[in-house]
Amino acid sequence: MRLARFWRRCVRIARQIIGVPDYEVYIAHLRAHHPERAIPSYAEFFNERQMARYKGGGGRCC
């Protein structure tokens, strides 16, 4: 159990370092601040973040 938690934390930190936002944090943000929006699948989320990062479309909604 501790190893699994440690591993998830390492993955989260590695994703932040390379610029891939955390899907769970994004979903929590949507539910708290944008309840009218549909929750995207992970694939949709990932594609949206990649487009925002490499197409210069901005990365934040708020």
Side-chain angles (χ1 to χ4, degrees), residues 23-38:
Y23 180 67
E24 288 82 21
V25 172
Y26 179 70
I27 297 305
H29 171 83
L30 281 181
R31 287 186 175 140
H33 299 283
H34 309 283
E36 73 284 353
R37 288 187 58 191

Side-chain angles (χ1 to χ4, degrees), residues 10-51:
C10 288
V11 169
R12 180 173 287 166
I13 290 169
R15 286 181 176 159
Q16 288 175 345
I17 289 170
I18 63 171
V20 176
D22 193 357
Y23 180 67
E24 288 82 21
V25 172
Y26 179 70
I27 297 305
H29 171 83
L30 281 181
R31 287 186 175 140
H33 299 283
H34 309 283
E36 73 284 353
R37 288 187 58 191
I39 303 296
S41 68
Y42 181 79
E44 292 168 333
F45 164 77
F46 184 79
N47 288 334
E48 178 184 309
R49 296 292 87 216
Q50 292 290 37
M51 293 296 285

Side-chain angles (χ1 to χ4, degrees), residues 49 52 57-62:
R49 296 292 87 216
R60 296 186 182 260
C61 68
C62 301

